[in-house]
Every structure is written in structure tokens, then in C-alpha cells.
């Protein structure tokens, strides 16, 4: 069959256009309502314009432009669309008898009046958490800070 200059067949180029169209629809699902409808309308018009073209190079160029638009939309779109009834977190409290309370109603604990941990005597859990954060950030040792290489 016909092969375009970049080696893709016409069906492969249209398949790429459909792939980009579907990816935009997935991204648009997380957009606010007004932007979602505008993105869907633009995607449909871009796909219809690509179907009317016969020049494979022009179709490939339009697909590339549309991929760039989808990438930009991914950057500016939240990962998930927020629902009105969700607060973003669930607090679960277990009672002394092992019952589970989803609304977070439990007996609050009082803070200790004094603590063993101060500037001279550091909490070992805090120190461990600090070292874990340093390791995660890519610091192997503090030799750079000391000037030892």
C-alpha cells in the first residue's frame, strides 16, 4: 500500500490521530466542566480536520501539534477531578474494643505535660526520620558540608 515519507502507512497515521484524541479525552475528564467541553469540542474538530486530509506529512504534522497540546493540558490539569462530597482524606479511629469509627469520633488523647526530648537530648525517631529524608534527597554523607572530599 501507500507509505508516507516518514514510513507510516495512512492507517497508522490515522491510528496515531485516534490515539491522541483518546488521550485528550482522558485528560479532559479531569478538567473543570467549562474547560472539559471546550477541550472535547476542539479534539473532535481536530480529528475531523485530520480525516479530511490526504497528505500524510500534513496529517503527521497535525498529530504532532495535537500531541503537544495534550502534553500541555496534562501539565495544567489536576490528576483527579475533585468530587463535591469528598474532602480528600478519611480519618479512621479504632476504639478500645476494636470497633472502627470512620467519622473520626474517638477519645482524643491529652498531650504530655513534659517530654524527654529537647535540643540536648534528641528524639531517636526524629533523628531517624531526618536521616531517611536526607538519604531520599540523595545525600550520602555530610563530607561535602565539612569540606572533606
Amino acid at each position: 500500500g501507500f507509505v508516507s515519507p516518514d514510513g507510516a502507512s495512512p492507517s497508522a497515521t490515522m491510528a496515531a490521530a485516534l490515539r491522541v484524541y483518546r488521550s485528550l479525552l482522558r485528560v479532559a475528564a479531569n478538567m473543570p466542566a467549562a474547560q472539559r467541553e471546550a477541550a472535547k469540542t476542539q479534539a473532535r474538530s481536530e480529528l475531523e480536520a485530520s480525516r479530511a486530509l490526504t497528505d500524510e506529512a500534513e496529517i503527521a504534522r497535525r498529530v504532532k501539534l495535537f500531541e503537544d497540546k495534550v502534553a500541555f493540558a496534562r501539565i495544567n490539569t489536576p490528576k483527579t477531578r475533585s468530587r463535591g462530597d469528598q474532602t480528600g482524606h478519611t480519618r479512621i479511629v479504632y476504639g478500645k474494643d476494636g470497633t472502627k469509627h470512620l467519622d473520626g469520633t474517638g477519645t482524643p488523647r491529652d498531650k504530655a505535660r513534659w517530654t524527654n526530648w529537647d535540643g540536648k537530648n534528641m528524639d531517636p525517631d526524629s533523628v531517624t526520620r531526618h536521616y531517611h529524608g536526607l538519604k531520599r534527597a540523595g545525600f550520602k554523607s555530610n563530607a561535602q558540608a565539612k569540606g572533606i572530599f
Side-chain angles (χ1 to χ4, degrees):
F2 175 78
V3 177
S4 67
D6 62 350
S9 66
S11 61
T13 309
M14 280 311 294
L18 282 171
R19 177 183 49 79
V20 174
Y21 172 73
R22 288 184 190 118
S23 68
L24 180 69
L25 291 180
R26 282 190 294 273
V27 171
N30 294 328
M31 291 180 176
Q35 292 176 353
R36 186 178 331 127
E37 291 307 315
K40 286 180 180 180
T41 303
Q42 182 184 10
R44 283 187 204 107
S45 65
E46 290 283 339
L47 185 64
E48 291 301 320
S50 295
R51 283 186 178 161
L53 294 174
T54 56
D55 182 25
E56 291 298 314
E58 178 64 20
I59 294 173
R61 187 184 69 75
R62 282 185 176 230
V63 167
K64 176 65 177 132
L65 286 173
F66 203 52
E67 283 175 342
D68 293 343
K69 288 180 182 179
V70 171
F72 184 74
R74 275 196 183 111
I75 292 169
N76 294 320
T77 303
K79 295 285 184 203
T80 57
R81 189 174 59 208
S82 62
R83 309 265 193 269
D85 59 339
Q86 294 181 348
T87 61
H89 67 278
T90 301
R91 183 174 178 185
I92 300 173
V93 177
Y94 291 92
K96 289 182 181 179
D97 57 350
T99 58
K100 187 175 179 180
H101 303 279
L102 288 177
D103 59 354
T105 57
T107 307
R109 292 185 180 179
D110 293 330
K111 284 196 151 207
R113 294 182 187 177
W114 55 271
T115 178
N116 289 334
W117 318 116
D118 60 12
K120 293 173 266 164
N121 182 19
M122 295 181 9
D123 180 11
D125 292 333
S126 295
V127 173
T128 303
R129 187 170 45 245
H130 172 71
Y131 281 128
H132 177 72
L134 287 175
K135 184 178 175 185
R136 197 170 142 217
F139 294 99
K140 303 293 184 208
S141 67
N142 64 348
Q144 290 175 316
K146 292 179 179 179
I148 303 169
F149 296 100

